[in-house]
């Protein structure tokens, strides 16, 4: 039987007018067959996801020393702002090499920190995508970077693309971020996820803490809506 559940705060949280949307995309060699479709999806869906005044940041990553900020806090003021973003996506979201999670998370931490300093009321939504498993860093190194970015992210999604990801590791990453973990078996599933999840969670209440009593922490499953 489910026991007492208390909520940290019942006070309503005002929805911010703007959001900083940070996308981290895996461009490792194993993504070669899907990157063309992914580039098209991102270009087609971003105008549907973003609102005027939002900031868009895009980070790409592959193996060690293969990660970078493709677009940094680009403010959306009109449809013309997507022209530069689309050109950068086509030019730089290309297959590279291995897979390493530490550097893209470190880049995200620094980037989000700068944006929050300039826009303290802006909510940060992180979208992390990968189709593989980290073969460059230790688990401890990965989690140190994830714990750092978790302190500056308001909402997040971790997308497991295809059948060859390290699911236990991605689950740990999602738990640390307070993120939703989403499995996308193929491109149509990814495209649907990209649009529905990011648009649904881009604005609204921030993190809320739910505290369970000791009696309620027994092996039960909980779903809080």
């Amino acid at each position: 039987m489910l026991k007492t559940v208390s909520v940290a705060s019942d006070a309503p949280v005002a929805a911010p007018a703007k959001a900083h949307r940070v996308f981290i995309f895996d461009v490792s060699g194993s993504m070669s067959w899907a990157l063309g479709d992914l580039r098209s999806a991102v270009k087609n869906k971003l105008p549907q996801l973003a609102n005027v005044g939002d900031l868009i940041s895009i980070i790409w990553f592959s193996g060690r020393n293969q990660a970078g900020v493709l677009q940094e806090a680009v403010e959306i003021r009109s449809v013309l702002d997507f022209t530069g973003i689309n050109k950068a996506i086509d030019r730089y979201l290309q297959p590279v090499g291995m897979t390493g999670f530490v550097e893209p998370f470190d880049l995200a931490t620094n980037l989000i920190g700068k944006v929050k300093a300039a826009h303290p009321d802006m909510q940060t939504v992180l979208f992390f995508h990968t189709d593989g498993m980290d073969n460059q860093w230790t688990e401890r190194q990965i989690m140190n970077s994830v714990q750092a970015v978790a302190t500056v992210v308001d909402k997040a999604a971790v997308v497991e693309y295809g059948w060859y990801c390290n699911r236990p590791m991605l689950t740990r990453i999602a738990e640390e971020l307070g993120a939703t973990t989403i499995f996308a078996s193929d491109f149509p599933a990814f495209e649907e996820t990209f649009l529905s999840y990011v648009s649904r969670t881009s604005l609204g209440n921030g993190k809320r803490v739910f505290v369970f009593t000791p009696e309620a922490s027994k092996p039960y499953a909980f779903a809080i809506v």
Side-chain angles (χ1 to χ4, degrees), residues 23 58-62 65-71 103-104 107:
F23 301 93
I58 301 175
I59 296 171
W60 64 271
F61 75 94
S62 186
N65 299 320
Q66 296 173 329
V69 177
L70 185 61
Q71 296 282 269
E103 289 165 318
L107 287 170

Side-chain angles (χ1 to χ4, degrees), residues 164-200:
Y164 302 104
C165 296
N166 184 343
R167 178 167 290 182
M169 171 57 70
L170 293 183
T171 300
R172 284 198 62 196
I173 290 173
E175 289 173 349
E176 191 66 43
L177 292 174
T180 298
T181 305
I182 303 169
F183 172 68
S185 59
D186 52 22
F187 178 74
F190 169 82
E191 188 173 30
E192 180 179 351
T193 294
F194 184 74
L195 178 60
S196 64
Y197 180 83
V198 182
S199 61
R200 185 176 71 249

Side-chain angles (χ1 to χ4, degrees), residues 10-216:
D10 290 323
V13 180
K18 302 175 184 178
H20 179 204
R21 306 167 189 271
V22 182
F23 301 93
I24 303 178
F25 292 116
D26 185 341
V27 296
S28 57
S30 57
M31 279 294 298
S32 299
W33 61 277
L35 277 177
D37 286 336
L38 185 144
R39 289 192 297 268
S40 296
V42 174
K43 290 186 297 181
N44 290 334
K45 302 303 182 184
L46 273 182
Q48 300 178 49
L49 302 176
N51 300 311
V52 173
D54 281 356
L55 303 181
I56 300 292
S57 295
I58 301 175
I59 296 171
W60 64 271
F61 75 94
S62 186
R64 191 183 291 256
N65 299 320
Q66 296 173 329
V69 177
L70 185 61
Q71 296 282 269
E72 180 173 338
V74 176
E75 183 177 0
I76 301 302
R77 292 163 293 185
S78 74
V79 69
L80 297 177
D81 294 308
F82 290 103
T83 302
I85 294 176
N86 290 346
K87 288 181 179 178
I89 288 170
D90 279 335
R91 183 174 182 182
Y92 293 108
L93 288 189
Q94 303 289 342
V96 182
M98 306 295 280
T99 305
F101 297 160
V102 166
E103 289 165 318
F105 282 128
D106 288 347
L107 287 170
T109 301
N110 293 331
L111 172 59
I112 295 168
K114 288 192 297 182
V115 172
K116 280 189 174 292
H119 306 278
D121 297 328
M122 182 170 285
Q123 186 180 69
T124 302
V125 181
L126 180 71
F127 187 91
F128 176 77
H129 148 271
T130 183
D131 79 326
M133 58 182 68
D134 190 307
N135 46 33
Q136 305 290 290
W137 308 93
T138 66
E139 182 174 324
R140 183 67 264 163
Q141 289 171 316
I142 296 168
M143 294 311 301
N144 284 342
S145 294
V146 172
Q147 288 164 3
V149 78
T151 64
V152 293
V153 167
D154 297 298
K155 295 187 177 181
V158 174
V159 178
E160 177 186 352
Y161 187 80
W163 300 93
Y164 302 104
C165 296
N166 184 343
R167 178 167 290 182
M169 171 57 70
L170 293 183
T171 300
R172 284 198 62 196
I173 290 173
E175 289 173 349
E176 191 66 43
L177 292 174
T180 298
T181 305
I182 303 169
F183 172 68
S185 59
D186 52 22
F187 178 74
F190 169 82
E191 188 173 30
E192 180 179 351
T193 294
F194 184 74
L195 178 60
S196 64
Y197 180 83
V198 182
S199 61
R200 185 176 71 249
T201 61
S202 59
L203 297 176
N205 292 340
K207 291 180 180 176
R208 302 181 70 193
V209 178
F210 295 88
V211 181
F212 293 90
T213 64
E215 290 83 3

